[in-house]
Amino acid sequence: MTNKLAQLLVIPSLFVAYSSIAQSDLPAANQVSISADKQQAQLKSNVGIFESNVEIIHGARRITADRLEVHKRDKLGENKQLLIATGNPAYFEERQADGSIMSASANEVRYDVAERYLTLIGNAQVTQAGQKINAKSISYDMQQQLISAQKDEDSDDRVHTILVPVENKKTKSKGQP
């Protein structure tokens, strides 16, 4: 009887131990990984500059660019960071809660980390849930899910949006194409 009880206690405790080890091996959600061919830091002004073949990974976000400036600002005792990525184009992507990917690209991508605010300047494009917006500049408040796009004042090119119809799963299950 004690052998069966011991087996019943050992198996769950091994599972708990394994899962805690597996979780400790995972990178922390707040960990930021930046790789580039060149790095500089302006310590007095709290600016890090990364150049050539830049990639930053922070949780569910990934940015690739030719150049990245990381500005750290202290405001009201709270650390804030502004990431300015430039490239031809620079890319930003984030995995959403539903597993889909929101991607953005522009000549300049500005991301305010604390506010979750994305500003795209020059040949801007945002793709999310099959929808695509192209414009000269796009502002995206990711927290509020508000997006604003505008054309260049000196151009006839207007904002262009492509909407993809969402398939109804109920219709598909009834045997309709």
Side-chain angles (χ1 to χ4, degrees), residues 88-122:
N88 197 11
Y91 292 96
F92 176 96
E93 65 180 41
E94 181 177 73
R95 181 168 303 281
Q96 305 297 298
D98 66 359
S100 66
I101 301 285
M102 183 284 294
S103 65
S105 64
N107 296 340
E108 181 176 290
V109 175
R110 292 175 169 254
Y111 181 60
D112 186 319
V113 176
E115 301 295 325
R116 294 198 65 225
Y117 195 85
L118 195 59
T119 304
L120 308 166
I121 303 165

PDB file of all heavy atoms in Angstrom, residues 88-122:
ATOM      1  N   ASN A  88      15.538  50.193 -45.340  1.00  0.00           N
ATOM      2  CA  ASN A  88      14.950  50.296 -46.665  1.00  0.00           C
ATOM      3  C   ASN A  88      14.199  49.015 -47.012  1.00  0.00           C
ATOM      4  O   ASN A  88      14.604  48.302 -47.910  1.00  0.00           O
ATOM      5  CB  ASN A  88      16.058  50.586 -47.689  1.00  0.00           C
ATOM      6  CG  ASN A  88      15.499  51.096 -48.993  1.00  0.00           C
ATOM      7  OD1 ASN A  88      14.326  51.439 -49.098  1.00  0.00           O
ATOM      8  ND2 ASN A  88      16.346  51.129 -50.002  1.00  0.00           N
ATOM      9  N   PRO A  89      13.129  48.696 -46.318  1.00  0.00           N
ATOM     10  CA  PRO A  89      12.539  49.362 -45.147  1.00  0.00           C
ATOM     11  C   PRO A  89      12.986  48.710 -43.833  1.00  0.00           C
ATOM     12  O   PRO A  89      13.685  47.693 -43.837  1.00  0.00           O
ATOM     13  CB  PRO A  89      11.051  49.127 -45.351  1.00  0.00           C
ATOM     14  CG  PRO A  89      10.983  47.788 -45.994  1.00  0.00           C
ATOM     15  CD  PRO A  89      12.214  47.701 -46.877  1.00  0.00           C
ATOM     16  N   ALA A  90      12.531  49.297 -42.719  1.00  0.00           N
ATOM     17  CA  ALA A  90      12.675  48.690 -41.397  1.00  0.00           C
ATOM     18  C   ALA A  90      11.375  47.933 -41.125  1.00  0.00           C
ATOM     19  O   ALA A  90      10.306  48.338 -41.596  1.00  0.00           O
ATOM     20  CB  ALA A  90      12.892  49.770 -40.344  1.00  0.00           C
ATOM     21  N   TYR A  91      11.464  46.830 -40.397  1.00  0.00           N
ATOM     22  CA  TYR A  91      10.294  45.987 -40.138  1.00  0.00           C
ATOM     23  C   TYR A  91      10.010  45.884 -38.642  1.00  0.00           C
ATOM     24  O   TYR A  91      10.927  45.834 -37.833  1.00  0.00           O
ATOM     25  CB  TYR A  91      10.519  44.557 -40.668  1.00  0.00           C
ATOM     26  CG  TYR A  91      10.583  44.462 -42.157  1.00  0.00           C
ATOM     27  CD1 TYR A  91      11.801  44.463 -42.803  1.00  0.00           C
ATOM     28  CD2 TYR A  91       9.431  44.381 -42.921  1.00  0.00           C
ATOM     29  CE1 TYR A  91      11.882  44.382 -44.176  1.00  0.00           C
ATOM     30  CE2 TYR A  91       9.495  44.298 -44.296  1.00  0.00           C
ATOM     31  CZ  TYR A  91      10.727  44.303 -44.919  1.00  0.00           C
ATOM     32  OH  TYR A  91      10.798  44.231 -46.282  1.00  0.00           O
ATOM     33  N   PHE A  92       8.725  45.810 -38.313  1.00  0.00           N
ATOM     34  CA  PHE A  92       8.254  45.591 -36.950  1.00  0.00           C
ATOM     35  C   PHE A  92       7.188  44.513 -37.037  1.00  0.00           C
ATOM     36  O   PHE A  92       6.316  44.565 -37.906  1.00  0.00           O
ATOM     37  CB  PHE A  92       7.631  46.876 -36.396  1.00  0.00           C
ATOM     38  CG  PHE A  92       7.019  46.729 -35.028  1.00  0.00           C
ATOM     39  CD1 PHE A  92       7.725  47.069 -33.895  1.00  0.00           C
ATOM     40  CD2 PHE A  92       5.724  46.257 -34.878  1.00  0.00           C
ATOM     41  CE1 PHE A  92       7.162  46.946 -32.630  1.00  0.00           C
ATOM     42  CE2 PHE A  92       5.152  46.123 -33.620  1.00  0.00           C
ATOM     43  CZ  PHE A  92       5.877  46.468 -32.502  1.00  0.00           C
ATOM     44  N   GLU A  93       7.240  43.543 -36.151  1.00  0.00           N
ATOM     45  CA  GLU A  93       6.159  42.555 -36.105  1.00  0.00           C
ATOM     46  C   GLU A  93       5.899  42.171 -34.659  1.00  0.00           C
ATOM     47  O   GLU A  93       6.805  42.202 -33.821  1.00  0.00           O
ATOM     48  CB  GLU A  93       6.447  41.330 -36.962  1.00  0.00           C
ATOM     49  CG  GLU A  93       7.592  40.480 -36.534  1.00  0.00           C
ATOM     50  CD  GLU A  93       7.803  39.288 -37.462  1.00  0.00           C
ATOM     51  OE1 GLU A  93       7.696  39.438 -38.691  1.00  0.00           O
ATOM     52  OE2 GLU A  93       8.084  38.204 -36.928  1.00  0.00           O
ATOM     53  N   GLU A  94       4.643  41.828 -34.394  1.00  0.00           N
ATOM     54  CA  GLU A  94       4.246  41.425 -33.051  1.00  0.00           C
ATOM     55  C   GLU A  94       3.206  40.325 -33.151  1.00  0.00           C
ATOM     56  O   GLU A  94       2.239  40.438 -33.898  1.00  0.00           O
ATOM     57  CB  GLU A  94       3.675  42.620 -32.284  1.00  0.00           C
ATOM     58  CG  GLU A  94       3.252  42.274 -30.872  1.00  0.00           C
ATOM     59  CD  GLU A  94       2.759  43.478 -30.104  1.00  0.00           C
ATOM     60  OE1 GLU A  94       1.641  43.947 -30.391  1.00  0.00           O
ATOM     61  OE2 GLU A  94       3.480  43.946 -29.229  1.00  0.00           O
ATOM     62  N   ARG A  95       3.425  39.262 -32.374  1.00  0.00           N
ATOM     63  CA  ARG A  95       2.442  38.177 -32.307  1.00  0.00           C
ATOM     64  C   ARG A  95       1.305  38.630 -31.403  1.00  0.00           C
ATOM     65  O   ARG A  95       1.523  39.056 -30.283  1.00  0.00           O
ATOM     66  CB  ARG A  95       3.075  36.899 -31.765  1.00  0.00           C
ATOM     67  CG  ARG A  95       2.086  35.735 -31.715  1.00  0.00           C
ATOM     68  CD  ARG A  95       2.764  34.407 -31.461  1.00  0.00           C
ATOM     69  NE  ARG A  95       3.787  34.059 -32.432  1.00  0.00           N
ATOM     70  CZ  ARG A  95       3.536  33.567 -33.648  1.00  0.00           C
ATOM     71  NH1 ARG A  95       2.305  33.373 -34.048  1.00  0.00           N
ATOM     72  NH2 ARG A  95       4.515  33.258 -34.470  1.00  0.00           N
ATOM     73  N   GLN A  96       0.077  38.557 -31.921  1.00  0.00           N
ATOM     74  CA  GLN A  96      -1.104  38.980 -31.186  1.00  0.00           C
ATOM     75  C   GLN A  96      -1.591  37.870 -30.258  1.00  0.00           C
ATOM     76  O   GLN A  96      -1.164  36.718 -30.365  1.00  0.00           O
ATOM     77  CB  GLN A  96      -2.227  39.354 -32.174  1.00  0.00           C
ATOM     78  CG  GLN A  96      -1.820  40.400 -33.192  1.00  0.00           C
ATOM     79  CD  GLN A  96      -1.465  41.721 -32.557  1.00  0.00           C
ATOM     80  OE1 GLN A  96      -2.288  42.348 -31.925  1.00  0.00           O
ATOM     81  NE2 GLN A  96      -0.212  42.136 -32.706  1.00  0.00           N
ATOM     82  N   ALA A  97      -2.490  38.193 -29.356  1.00  0.00           N
ATOM     83  CA  ALA A  97      -3.018  37.230 -28.385  1.00  0.00           C
ATOM     84  C   ALA A  97      -3.679  36.037 -29.075  1.00  0.00           C
ATOM     85  O   ALA A  97      -3.626  34.917 -28.568  1.00  0.00           O
ATOM     86  CB  ALA A  97      -4.004  37.918 -27.453  1.00  0.00           C
ATOM     87  N   ASP A  98      -4.277  36.271 -30.257  1.00  0.00           N
ATOM     88  CA  ASP A  98      -4.943  35.179 -30.975  1.00  0.00           C
ATOM     89  C   ASP A  98      -3.974  34.346 -31.819  1.00  0.00           C
ATOM     90  O   ASP A  98      -4.382  33.440 -32.534  1.00  0.00           O
ATOM     91  CB  ASP A  98      -6.080  35.716 -31.846  1.00  0.00           C
ATOM     92  CG  ASP A  98      -5.598  36.602 -32.988  1.00  0.00           C
ATOM     93  OD1 ASP A  98      -4.373  36.829 -33.115  1.00  0.00           O
ATOM     94  OD2 ASP A  98      -6.452  37.087 -33.753  1.00  0.00           O
ATOM     95  N   GLY A  99      -2.674  34.675 -31.772  1.00  0.00           N
ATOM     96  CA  GLY A  99      -1.678  33.926 -32.516  1.00  0.00           C
ATOM     97  C   GLY A  99      -1.341  34.524 -33.875  1.00  0.00           C
ATOM     98  O   GLY A  99      -0.365  34.132 -34.497  1.00  0.00           O
ATOM     99  N   SER A 100      -2.141  35.467 -34.356  1.00  0.00           N
ATOM    100  CA  SER A 100      -1.859  36.095 -35.643  1.00  0.00           C
ATOM    101  C   SER A 100      -0.688  37.075 -35.487  1.00  0.00           C
ATOM    102  O   SER A 100      -0.321  37.464 -34.381  1.00  0.00           O
ATOM    103  CB  SER A 100      -3.101  36.822 -36.167  1.00  0.00           C
ATOM    104  OG  SER A 100      -3.423  37.915 -35.323  1.00  0.00           O
ATOM    105  N   ILE A 101      -0.133  37.476 -36.620  1.00  0.00           N
ATOM    106  CA  ILE A 101       1.005  38.395 -36.629  1.00  0.00           C
ATOM    107  C   ILE A 101       0.565  39.739 -37.185  1.00  0.00           C
ATOM    108  O   ILE A 101      -0.045  39.810 -38.250  1.00  0.00           O
ATOM    109  CB  ILE A 101       2.157  37.850 -37.511  1.00  0.00           C
ATOM    110  CG1 ILE A 101       2.640  36.499 -37.016  1.00  0.00           C
ATOM    111  CG2 ILE A 101       3.293  38.850 -37.599  1.00  0.00           C
ATOM    112  CD1 ILE A 101       3.476  36.529 -35.788  1.00  0.00           C
ATOM    113  N   MET A 102       0.877  40.814 -36.452  1.00  0.00           N
ATOM    114  CA  MET A 102       0.711  42.168 -36.971  1.00  0.00           C
ATOM    115  C   MET A 102       2.093  42.586 -37.449  1.00  0.00           C
ATOM    116  O   MET A 102       3.073  42.500 -36.699  1.00  0.00           O
ATOM    117  CB  MET A 102       0.238  43.122 -35.864  1.00  0.00           C
ATOM    118  CG  MET A 102      -0.044  44.550 -36.332  1.00  0.00           C
ATOM    119  SD  MET A 102       1.366  45.615 -36.649  1.00  0.00           S
ATOM    120  CE  MET A 102       2.041  45.786 -35.030  1.00  0.00           C
ATOM    121  N   SER A 103       2.197  42.979 -38.713  1.00  0.00           N
ATOM    122  CA  SER A 103       3.491  43.400 -39.232  1.00  0.00           C
ATOM    123  C   SER A 103       3.386  44.811 -39.784  1.00  0.00           C
ATOM    124  O   SER A 103       2.328  45.234 -40.259  1.00  0.00           O
ATOM    125  CB  SER A 103       4.001  42.431 -40.303  1.00  0.00           C
ATOM    126  OG  SER A 103       3.159  42.452 -41.427  1.00  0.00           O
ATOM    127  N   ALA A 104       4.502  45.531 -39.690  1.00  0.00           N
ATOM    128  CA  ALA A 104       4.553  46.900 -40.181  1.00  0.00           C
ATOM    129  C   ALA A 104       5.930  47.136 -40.781  1.00  0.00           C
ATOM    130  O   ALA A 104       6.916  46.531 -40.349  1.00  0.00           O
ATOM    131  CB  ALA A 104       4.294  47.879 -39.045  1.00  0.00           C
ATOM    132  N   SER A 105       5.975  48.022 -41.769  1.00  0.00           N
ATOM    133  CA  SER A 105       7.258  48.389 -42.359  1.00  0.00           C
ATOM    134  C   SER A 105       7.191  49.830 -42.834  1.00  0.00           C
ATOM    135  O   SER A 105       6.122  50.348 -43.153  1.00  0.00           O
ATOM    136  CB  SER A 105       7.615  47.458 -43.527  1.00  0.00           C
ATOM    137  OG  SER A 105       6.682  47.601 -44.577  1.00  0.00           O
ATOM    138  N   ALA A 106       8.352  50.478 -42.845  1.00  0.00           N
ATOM    139  CA  ALA A 106       8.465  51.864 -43.315  1.00  0.00           C
ATOM    140  C   ALA A 106       9.943  52.211 -43.391  1.00  0.00           C
ATOM    141  O   ALA A 106      10.798  51.459 -42.911  1.00  0.00           O
ATOM    142  CB  ALA A 106       7.745  52.818 -42.371  1.00  0.00           C
ATOM    143  N   ASN A 107      10.236  53.372 -43.971  1.00  0.00           N
ATOM    144  CA  ASN A 107      11.616  53.849 -43.985  1.00  0.00           C
ATOM    145  C   ASN A 107      12.085  54.153 -42.560  1.00  0.00           C
ATOM    146  O   ASN A 107      13.252  53.973 -42.232  1.00  0.00           O
ATOM    147  CB  ASN A 107      11.756  55.097 -44.854  1.00  0.00           C
ATOM    148  CG  ASN A 107      11.442  54.806 -46.311  1.00  0.00           C
ATOM    149  OD1 ASN A 107      11.479  53.665 -46.755  1.00  0.00           O
ATOM    150  ND2 ASN A 107      11.105  55.843 -47.057  1.00  0.00           N
ATOM    151  N   GLU A 108      11.133  54.625 -41.714  1.00  0.00           N
ATOM    152  CA  GLU A 108      11.433  54.869 -40.307  1.00  0.00           C
ATOM    153  C   GLU A 108      10.294  54.318 -39.465  1.00  0.00           C
ATOM    154  O   GLU A 108       9.129  54.641 -39.699  1.00  0.00           O
ATOM    155  CB  GLU A 108      11.604  56.362 -40.027  1.00  0.00           C
ATOM    156  CG  GLU A 108      11.935  56.668 -38.577  1.00  0.00           C
ATOM    157  CD  GLU A 108      12.187  58.137 -38.332  1.00  0.00           C
ATOM    158  OE1 GLU A 108      13.230  58.644 -38.800  1.00  0.00           O
ATOM    159  OE2 GLU A 108      11.339  58.762 -37.678  1.00  0.00           O
ATOM    160  N   VAL A 109      10.642  53.481 -38.500  1.00  0.00           N
ATOM    161  CA  VAL A 109       9.668  52.890 -37.583  1.00  0.00           C
ATOM    162  C   VAL A 109      10.031  53.374 -36.188  1.00  0.00           C
ATOM    163  O   VAL A 109      11.131  53.124 -35.697  1.00  0.00           O
ATOM    164  CB  VAL A 109       9.708  51.342 -37.631  1.00  0.00           C
ATOM    165  CG1 VAL A 109       8.784  50.751 -36.590  1.00  0.00           C
ATOM    166  CG2 VAL A 109       9.355  50.835 -39.020  1.00  0.00           C
ATOM    167  N   ARG A 110       9.093  54.093 -35.546  1.00  0.00           N
ATOM    168  CA  ARG A 110       9.283  54.562 -34.169  1.00  0.00           C
ATOM    169  C   ARG A 110       8.327  53.797 -33.272  1.00  0.00           C
ATOM    170  O   ARG A 110       7.135  53.755 -33.551  1.00  0.00           O
ATOM    171  CB  ARG A 110       8.989  56.059 -34.046  1.00  0.00           C
ATOM    172  CG  ARG A 110       9.981  56.914 -34.760  1.00  0.00           C
ATOM    173  CD  ARG A 110       9.587  58.394 -34.707  1.00  0.00           C
ATOM    174  NE  ARG A 110      10.688  59.200 -35.172  1.00  0.00           N
ATOM    175  CZ  ARG A 110      11.458  59.933 -34.385  1.00  0.00           C
ATOM    176  NH1 ARG A 110      11.226  59.986 -33.099  1.00  0.00           N
ATOM    177  NH2 ARG A 110      12.466  60.617 -34.877  1.00  0.00           N
ATOM    178  N   TYR A 111       8.874  53.221 -32.195  1.00  0.00           N
ATOM    179  CA  TYR A 111       8.041  52.457 -31.273  1.00  0.00           C
ATOM    180  C   TYR A 111       8.267  52.952 -29.851  1.00  0.00           C
ATOM    181  O   TYR A 111       9.379  52.839 -29.321  1.00  0.00           O
ATOM    182  CB  TYR A 111       8.351  50.962 -31.377  1.00  0.00           C
ATOM    183  CG  TYR A 111       7.506  50.119 -30.456  1.00  0.00           C
ATOM    184  CD1 TYR A 111       6.120  50.110 -30.555  1.00  0.00           C
ATOM    185  CD2 TYR A 111       8.086  49.325 -29.483  1.00  0.00           C
ATOM    186  CE1 TYR A 111       5.339  49.341 -29.706  1.00  0.00           C
ATOM    187  CE2 TYR A 111       7.312  48.539 -28.640  1.00  0.00           C
ATOM    188  CZ  TYR A 111       5.942  48.564 -28.753  1.00  0.00           C
ATOM    189  OH  TYR A 111       5.169  47.799 -27.909  1.00  0.00           O
ATOM    190  N   ASP A 112       7.230  53.523 -29.239  1.00  0.00           N
ATOM    191  CA  ASP A 112       7.256  53.941 -27.847  1.00  0.00           C
ATOM    192  C   ASP A 112       6.840  52.728 -27.029  1.00  0.00           C
ATOM    193  O   ASP A 112       5.679  52.318 -27.053  1.00  0.00           O
ATOM    194  CB  ASP A 112       6.296  55.118 -27.625  1.00  0.00           C
ATOM    195  CG  ASP A 112       6.379  55.684 -26.227  1.00  0.00           C
ATOM    196  OD1 ASP A 112       6.481  54.895 -25.255  1.00  0.00           O
ATOM    197  OD2 ASP A 112       6.319  56.918 -26.092  1.00  0.00           O
ATOM    198  N   VAL A 113       7.795  52.130 -26.322  1.00  0.00           N
ATOM    199  CA  VAL A 113       7.573  50.861 -25.645  1.00  0.00           C
ATOM    200  C   VAL A 113       6.497  50.978 -24.567  1.00  0.00           C
ATOM    201  O   VAL A 113       5.577  50.158 -24.505  1.00  0.00           O
ATOM    202  CB  VAL A 113       8.900  50.331 -25.048  1.00  0.00           C
ATOM    203  CG1 VAL A 113       8.670  49.050 -24.263  1.00  0.00           C
ATOM    204  CG2 VAL A 113       9.922  50.112 -26.156  1.00  0.00           C
ATOM    205  N   ALA A 114       6.589  51.985 -23.693  1.00  0.00           N
ATOM    206  CA  ALA A 114       5.641  52.117 -22.583  1.00  0.00           C
ATOM    207  C   ALA A 114       4.220  52.401 -23.065  1.00  0.00           C
ATOM    208  O   ALA A 114       3.257  51.859 -22.534  1.00  0.00           O
ATOM    209  CB  ALA A 114       6.093  53.223 -21.632  1.00  0.00           C
ATOM    210  N   GLU A 115       4.093  53.232 -24.078  1.00  0.00           N
ATOM    211  CA  GLU A 115       2.767  53.615 -24.590  1.00  0.00           C
ATOM    212  C   GLU A 115       2.220  52.627 -25.619  1.00  0.00           C
ATOM    213  O   GLU A 115       1.059  52.731 -26.012  1.00  0.00           O
ATOM    214  CB  GLU A 115       2.821  55.015 -25.212  1.00  0.00           C
ATOM    215  CG  GLU A 115       3.258  56.112 -24.255  1.00  0.00           C
ATOM    216  CD  GLU A 115       2.264  56.316 -23.132  1.00  0.00           C
ATOM    217  OE1 GLU A 115       1.046  56.177 -23.341  1.00  0.00           O
ATOM    218  OE2 GLU A 115       2.732  56.629 -22.008  1.00  0.00           O
ATOM    219  N   ARG A 116       3.077  51.714 -26.104  1.00  0.00           N
ATOM    220  CA  ARG A 116       2.721  50.777 -27.178  1.00  0.00           C
ATOM    221  C   ARG A 116       2.180  51.561 -28.391  1.00  0.00           C
ATOM    222  O   ARG A 116       1.119  51.276 -28.914  1.00  0.00           O
ATOM    223  CB  ARG A 116       1.725  49.725 -26.708  1.00  0.00           C
ATOM    224  CG  ARG A 116       2.323  48.795 -25.668  1.00  0.00           C
ATOM    225  CD  ARG A 116       1.559  47.510 -25.500  1.00  0.00           C
ATOM    226  NE  ARG A 116       1.631  46.736 -26.731  1.00  0.00           N
ATOM    227  CZ  ARG A 116       0.570  46.147 -27.278  1.00  0.00           C
ATOM    228  NH1 ARG A 116      -0.603  46.223 -26.728  1.00  0.00           N
ATOM    229  NH2 ARG A 116       0.696  45.479 -28.400  1.00  0.00           N
ATOM    230  N   TYR A 117       2.934  52.575 -28.788  1.00  0.00           N
ATOM    231  CA  TYR A 117       2.538  53.457 -29.873  1.00  0.00           C
ATOM    232  C   TYR A 117       3.560  53.345 -31.004  1.00  0.00           C
ATOM    233  O   TYR A 117       4.754  53.524 -30.800  1.00  0.00           O
ATOM    234  CB  TYR A 117       2.454  54.904 -29.372  1.00  0.00           C
ATOM    235  CG  TYR A 117       1.710  55.818 -30.304  1.00  0.00           C
ATOM    236  CD1 TYR A 117       0.322  55.915 -30.239  1.00  0.00           C
ATOM    237  CD2 TYR A 117       2.377  56.570 -31.260  1.00  0.00           C
ATOM    238  CE1 TYR A 117      -0.372  56.744 -31.097  1.00  0.00           C
ATOM    239  CE2 TYR A 117       1.689  57.402 -32.123  1.00  0.00           C
ATOM    240  CZ  TYR A 117       0.317  57.483 -32.033  1.00  0.00           C
ATOM    241  OH  TYR A 117      -0.383  58.303 -32.886  1.00  0.00           O
ATOM    242  N   LEU A 118       3.078  53.060 -32.194  1.00  0.00           N
ATOM    243  CA  LEU A 118       3.907  52.829 -33.368  1.00  0.00           C
ATOM    244  C   LEU A 118       3.684  53.958 -34.363  1.00  0.00           C
ATOM    245  O   LEU A 118       2.543  54.285 -34.689  1.00  0.00           O
ATOM    246  CB  LEU A 118       3.488  51.487 -33.985  1.00  0.00           C
ATOM    247  CG  LEU A 118       4.361  50.807 -35.005  1.00  0.00           C
ATOM    248  CD1 LEU A 118       5.739  50.510 -34.451  1.00  0.00           C
ATOM    249  CD2 LEU A 118       3.705  49.510 -35.452  1.00  0.00           C
ATOM    250  N   THR A 119       4.782  54.569 -34.832  1.00  0.00           N
ATOM    251  CA  THR A 119       4.709  55.612 -35.848  1.00  0.00           C
ATOM    252  C   THR A 119       5.569  55.165 -37.023  1.00  0.00           C
ATOM    253  O   THR A 119       6.758  54.878 -36.851  1.00  0.00           O
ATOM    254  CB  THR A 119       5.223  56.958 -35.309  1.00  0.00           C
ATOM    255  OG1 THR A 119       4.488  57.302 -34.134  1.00  0.00           O
ATOM    256  CG2 THR A 119       5.054  58.060 -36.345  1.00  0.00           C
ATOM    257  N   LEU A 120       4.959  55.104 -38.203  1.00  0.00           N
ATOM    258  CA  LEU A 120       5.646  54.663 -39.420  1.00  0.00           C
ATOM    259  C   LEU A 120       5.733  55.842 -40.370  1.00  0.00           C
ATOM    260  O   LEU A 120       4.712  56.470 -40.674  1.00  0.00           O
ATOM    261  CB  LEU A 120       4.874  53.524 -40.076  1.00  0.00           C
ATOM    262  CG  LEU A 120       4.522  52.353 -39.145  1.00  0.00           C
ATOM    263  CD1 LEU A 120       3.488  51.454 -39.780  1.00  0.00           C
ATOM    264  CD2 LEU A 120       5.766  51.576 -38.797  1.00  0.00           C
ATOM    265  N   ILE A 121       6.941  56.132 -40.867  1.00  0.00           N
ATOM    266  CA  ILE A 121       7.136  57.304 -41.718  1.00  0.00           C
ATOM    267  C   ILE A 121       7.853  56.886 -42.996  1.00  0.00           C
ATOM    268  O   ILE A 121       8.925  56.273 -42.948  1.00  0.00           O
ATOM    269  CB  ILE A 121       7.971  58.372 -40.975  1.00  0.00           C
ATOM    270  CG1 ILE A 121       7.281  58.758 -39.660  1.00  0.00           C
ATOM    271  CG2 ILE A 121       8.204  59.591 -41.858  1.00  0.00           C
ATOM    272  CD1 ILE A 121       8.168  59.516 -38.702  1.00  0.00           C
ATOM    273  N   GLY A 122       7.261  57.216 -44.140  1.00  0.00           N
ATOM    274  CA  GLY A 122       7.858  56.926 -45.447  1.00  0.00           C
ATOM    275  C   GLY A 122       7.561  55.524 -45.932  1.00  0.00           C
ATOM    276  O   GLY A 122       8.027  54.565 -45.342  1.00  0.00           O
TER     277      GLY A 122
END
